[in-house]
Amino acid sequence: MEFCALASGSSGNCFYVENSGNAVLIDAGISAKQIFERLSSIGKKPENVKAIFITHEHSDHIRGADVFTRKFNVPIFATKKTSESCNLCSDSDMINIIKNDESFSIGGMRVEAFSKSHKASDPVSFNVSNGKKISIITDVGFACENVIANVSDSDALFLESNYDETMLENGPYPYFLKKWIKSDIGHLSNSQSALCVLENANSKLRYLILSHLSKNNNTPQAALESFNILKEKKNFSPRILVSERESPSSLMRL
Ligand SMILES: [Zn+2]
Ligand SMILES: [Zn+2]
């Protein structure tokens, strides 16, 4: 499989996973034009994309879904409550309703949904596997047992590392917003995320991509520093990267 983050961060999320020319997108939170341009920049075409899986209705996960789907005739998969909470696509025939624990076979890959804790109507994350397993986990308030199960059994892991706790505390956000971000239905901080990997990840993990960094309450450097605790972990040496808002990550392979 080949995979990358086309974008990740509080301003838009879109992940690409491909098996022999057939690809899925997990979320489409940047504009359709940006998805097109970023696919081109990694040498891929919209025709490679066979399905878009949507994690939840927040705009940083769905922004480009409607236009991309209609322009390139790509079906969307989302839970019923998610699809009812937003306008995923003005052509409702393009929307396939899924359960929050359902699995699908697409292009030689298995895509599995699992539920998680986040302030949305029926939020899910996904893993994609074909013998190797890639998990994409962002927008989680805490590491519930589904998150732990996927962190512990992945060859590649995109994991939210949303905020630096001190930057959030001292930053400009109003109190109610700070309280929500820190809550069990908000986002994972750098240290929560690093601790989750330290406690649960397996030595087979080859790629760890820190994702969904806040623009206001984090920096790539702060996120990476939190993961220095992984140096204590025996038989564990994944490549650690930070996904970016404005450009795709490098294309990785498993
Ligand atoms: Zn988000
Ligand atoms: Zn969200």
Side-chain angles (χ1 to χ4, degrees), residues 188-204:
L188 283 185
S189 72
N190 294 339
S191 53
Q192 285 174 314
S193 180
L195 198 60
C196 177
V197 174
L198 179 68
E199 289 177 347
N200 302 298
N202 185 295
S203 58
K204 75 175 185 176

PDB file of all heavy atoms in Angstrom, residues 188-204:
ATOM      1  N   LEU A 188      -6.987  15.140  21.390  1.00  0.00           N
ATOM      2  CA  LEU A 188      -5.837  14.612  22.140  1.00  0.00           C
ATOM      3  C   LEU A 188      -4.702  15.634  22.151  1.00  0.00           C
ATOM      4  O   LEU A 188      -4.317  16.154  21.105  1.00  0.00           O
ATOM      5  CB  LEU A 188      -5.299  13.336  21.488  1.00  0.00           C
ATOM      6  CG  LEU A 188      -6.042  12.017  21.674  1.00  0.00           C
ATOM      7  CD1 LEU A 188      -5.231  10.889  21.034  1.00  0.00           C
ATOM      8  CD2 LEU A 188      -6.342  11.716  23.131  1.00  0.00           C
ATOM      9  N   SER A 189      -4.151  15.886  23.336  1.00  0.00           N
ATOM     10  CA  SER A 189      -2.973  16.751  23.437  1.00  0.00           C
ATOM     11  C   SER A 189      -1.733  15.977  22.991  1.00  0.00           C
ATOM     12  O   SER A 189      -1.761  14.746  22.848  1.00  0.00           O
ATOM     13  CB  SER A 189      -2.789  17.220  24.883  1.00  0.00           C
ATOM     14  OG  SER A 189      -2.343  16.141  25.684  1.00  0.00           O
ATOM     15  N   ASN A 190      -0.634  16.722  22.822  1.00  0.00           N
ATOM     16  CA  ASN A 190       0.635  16.062  22.460  1.00  0.00           C
ATOM     17  C   ASN A 190       0.994  14.999  23.484  1.00  0.00           C
ATOM     18  O   ASN A 190       1.372  13.880  23.127  1.00  0.00           O
ATOM     19  CB  ASN A 190       1.768  17.095  22.410  1.00  0.00           C
ATOM     20  CG  ASN A 190       1.585  18.108  21.302  1.00  0.00           C
ATOM     21  OD1 ASN A 190       0.858  17.854  20.342  1.00  0.00           O
ATOM     22  ND2 ASN A 190       2.245  19.254  21.431  1.00  0.00           N
ATOM     23  N   SER A 191       0.893  15.329  24.767  1.00  0.00           N
ATOM     24  CA  SER A 191       1.341  14.367  25.777  1.00  0.00           C
ATOM     25  C   SER A 191       0.371  13.195  25.907  1.00  0.00           C
ATOM     26  O   SER A 191       0.801  12.062  26.122  1.00  0.00           O
ATOM     27  CB  SER A 191       1.594  15.043  27.127  1.00  0.00           C
ATOM     28  OG  SER A 191       0.487  15.775  27.522  1.00  0.00           O
ATOM     29  N   GLN A 192      -0.929  13.427  25.750  1.00  0.00           N
ATOM     30  CA  GLN A 192      -1.882  12.303  25.774  1.00  0.00           C
ATOM     31  C   GLN A 192      -1.601  11.337  24.622  1.00  0.00           C
ATOM     32  O   GLN A 192      -1.652  10.117  24.777  1.00  0.00           O
ATOM     33  CB  GLN A 192      -3.326  12.816  25.625  1.00  0.00           C
ATOM     34  CG  GLN A 192      -3.883  13.475  26.866  1.00  0.00           C
ATOM     35  CD  GLN A 192      -5.257  14.088  26.586  1.00  0.00           C
ATOM     36  OE1 GLN A 192      -5.457  14.764  25.578  1.00  0.00           O
ATOM     37  NE2 GLN A 192      -6.197  13.861  27.486  1.00  0.00           N
ATOM     38  N   SER A 193      -1.324  11.910  23.470  1.00  0.00           N
ATOM     39  CA  SER A 193      -1.068  11.123  22.278  1.00  0.00           C
ATOM     40  C   SER A 193       0.228  10.309  22.433  1.00  0.00           C
ATOM     41  O   SER A 193       0.271   9.107  22.142  1.00  0.00           O
ATOM     42  CB  SER A 193      -0.988  12.084  21.087  1.00  0.00           C
ATOM     43  OG  SER A 193      -0.756  11.402  19.914  1.00  0.00           O
ATOM     44  N   ALA A 194       1.266  10.972  22.923  1.00  0.00           N
ATOM     45  CA  ALA A 194       2.559  10.292  23.109  1.00  0.00           C
ATOM     46  C   ALA A 194       2.430   9.166  24.138  1.00  0.00           C
ATOM     47  O   ALA A 194       2.983   8.075  23.956  1.00  0.00           O
ATOM     48  CB  ALA A 194       3.616  11.301  23.547  1.00  0.00           C
ATOM     49  N   LEU A 195       1.686   9.419  25.189  1.00  0.00           N
ATOM     50  CA  LEU A 195       1.492   8.407  26.232  1.00  0.00           C
ATOM     51  C   LEU A 195       0.728   7.200  25.684  1.00  0.00           C
ATOM     52  O   LEU A 195       1.045   6.046  25.994  1.00  0.00           O
ATOM     53  CB  LEU A 195       0.729   9.027  27.405  1.00  0.00           C
ATOM     54  CG  LEU A 195       0.801   8.284  28.730  1.00  0.00           C
ATOM     55  CD1 LEU A 195       2.243   8.182  29.215  1.00  0.00           C
ATOM     56  CD2 LEU A 195      -0.056   8.998  29.781  1.00  0.00           C
ATOM     57  N   CYS A 196      -0.263   7.480  24.855  1.00  0.00           N
ATOM     58  CA  CYS A 196      -1.054   6.403  24.245  1.00  0.00           C
ATOM     59  C   CYS A 196      -0.154   5.496  23.402  1.00  0.00           C
ATOM     60  O   CYS A 196      -0.262   4.269  23.464  1.00  0.00           O
ATOM     61  CB  CYS A 196      -2.167   7.026  23.390  1.00  0.00           C
ATOM     62  SG  CYS A 196      -3.153   5.805  22.527  1.00  0.00           S
ATOM     63  N   VAL A 197       0.745   6.100  22.639  1.00  0.00           N
ATOM     64  CA  VAL A 197       1.674   5.297  21.822  1.00  0.00           C
ATOM     65  C   VAL A 197       2.658   4.553  22.719  1.00  0.00           C
ATOM     66  O   VAL A 197       2.908   3.359  22.530  1.00  0.00           O
ATOM     67  CB  VAL A 197       2.426   6.195  20.806  1.00  0.00           C
ATOM     68  CG1 VAL A 197       3.484   5.391  20.059  1.00  0.00           C
ATOM     69  CG2 VAL A 197       1.442   6.803  19.819  1.00  0.00           C
ATOM     70  N   LEU A 198       3.195   5.253  23.715  1.00  0.00           N
ATOM     71  CA  LEU A 198       4.159   4.618  24.626  1.00  0.00           C
ATOM     72  C   LEU A 198       3.553   3.373  25.278  1.00  0.00           C
ATOM     73  O   LEU A 198       4.183   2.323  25.361  1.00  0.00           O
ATOM     74  CB  LEU A 198       4.581   5.623  25.709  1.00  0.00           C
ATOM     75  CG  LEU A 198       5.560   5.111  26.761  1.00  0.00           C
ATOM     76  CD1 LEU A 198       6.928   4.835  26.148  1.00  0.00           C
ATOM     77  CD2 LEU A 198       5.689   6.099  27.921  1.00  0.00           C
ATOM     78  N   GLU A 199       2.327   3.484  25.721  1.00  0.00           N
ATOM     79  CA  GLU A 199       1.697   2.393  26.477  1.00  0.00           C
ATOM     80  C   GLU A 199       1.156   1.271  25.585  1.00  0.00           C
ATOM     81  O   GLU A 199       1.048   0.138  26.032  1.00  0.00           O
ATOM     82  CB  GLU A 199       0.546   2.943  27.338  1.00  0.00           C
ATOM     83  CG  GLU A 199       1.050   3.774  28.505  1.00  0.00           C
ATOM     84  CD  GLU A 199      -0.077   4.387  29.307  1.00  0.00           C
ATOM     85  OE1 GLU A 199      -1.234   4.381  28.834  1.00  0.00           O
ATOM     86  OE2 GLU A 199       0.204   4.897  30.401  1.00  0.00           O
ATOM     87  N   ASN A 200       0.800   1.599  24.345  1.00  0.00           N
ATOM     88  CA  ASN A 200       0.031   0.616  23.565  1.00  0.00           C
ATOM     89  C   ASN A 200       0.638   0.163  22.245  1.00  0.00           C
ATOM     90  O   ASN A 200       0.272  -0.915  21.763  1.00  0.00           O
ATOM     91  CB  ASN A 200      -1.361   1.188  23.268  1.00  0.00           C
ATOM     92  CG  ASN A 200      -2.105   1.533  24.542  1.00  0.00           C
ATOM     93  OD1 ASN A 200      -2.380   0.648  25.352  1.00  0.00           O
ATOM     94  ND2 ASN A 200      -2.389   2.806  24.745  1.00  0.00           N
ATOM     95  N   ALA A 201       1.507   0.965  21.645  1.00  0.00           N
ATOM     96  CA  ALA A 201       1.963   0.599  20.295  1.00  0.00           C
ATOM     97  C   ALA A 201       2.861  -0.626  20.338  1.00  0.00           C
ATOM     98  O   ALA A 201       3.537  -0.891  21.333  1.00  0.00           O
ATOM     99  CB  ALA A 201       2.674   1.767  19.637  1.00  0.00           C
ATOM    100  N   ASN A 202       2.867  -1.339  19.222  1.00  0.00           N
ATOM    101  CA  ASN A 202       3.590  -2.589  19.079  1.00  0.00           C
ATOM    102  C   ASN A 202       4.898  -2.319  18.323  1.00  0.00           C
ATOM    103  O   ASN A 202       4.996  -1.347  17.579  1.00  0.00           O
ATOM    104  CB  ASN A 202       2.660  -3.509  18.267  1.00  0.00           C
ATOM    105  CG  ASN A 202       3.181  -4.888  18.112  1.00  0.00           C
ATOM    106  OD1 ASN A 202       4.200  -5.112  17.478  1.00  0.00           O
ATOM    107  ND2 ASN A 202       2.465  -5.826  18.695  1.00  0.00           N
ATOM    108  N   SER A 203       5.879  -3.205  18.483  1.00  0.00           N
ATOM    109  CA  SER A 203       7.174  -2.994  17.821  1.00  0.00           C
ATOM    110  C   SER A 203       7.076  -3.077  16.300  1.00  0.00           C
ATOM    111  O   SER A 203       7.989  -2.686  15.594  1.00  0.00           O
ATOM    112  CB  SER A 203       8.206  -4.004  18.329  1.00  0.00           C
ATOM    113  OG  SER A 203       7.737  -5.309  18.104  1.00  0.00           O
ATOM    114  N   LYS A 204       5.950  -3.573  15.761  1.00  0.00           N
ATOM    115  CA  LYS A 204       5.832  -3.627  14.296  1.00  0.00           C
ATOM    116  C   LYS A 204       5.517  -2.260  13.676  1.00  0.00           C
ATOM    117  O   LYS A 204       5.564  -2.113  12.455  1.00  0.00           O
ATOM    118  CB  LYS A 204       4.782  -4.655  13.882  1.00  0.00           C
ATOM    119  CG  LYS A 204       3.346  -4.233  14.073  1.00  0.00           C
ATOM    120  CD  LYS A 204       2.412  -5.296  13.505  1.00  0.00           C
ATOM    121  CE  LYS A 204       0.970  -4.844  13.581  1.00  0.00           C
ATOM    122  NZ  LYS A 204       0.049  -5.786  12.969  1.00  0.00           N
TER     123      LYS A 204
END
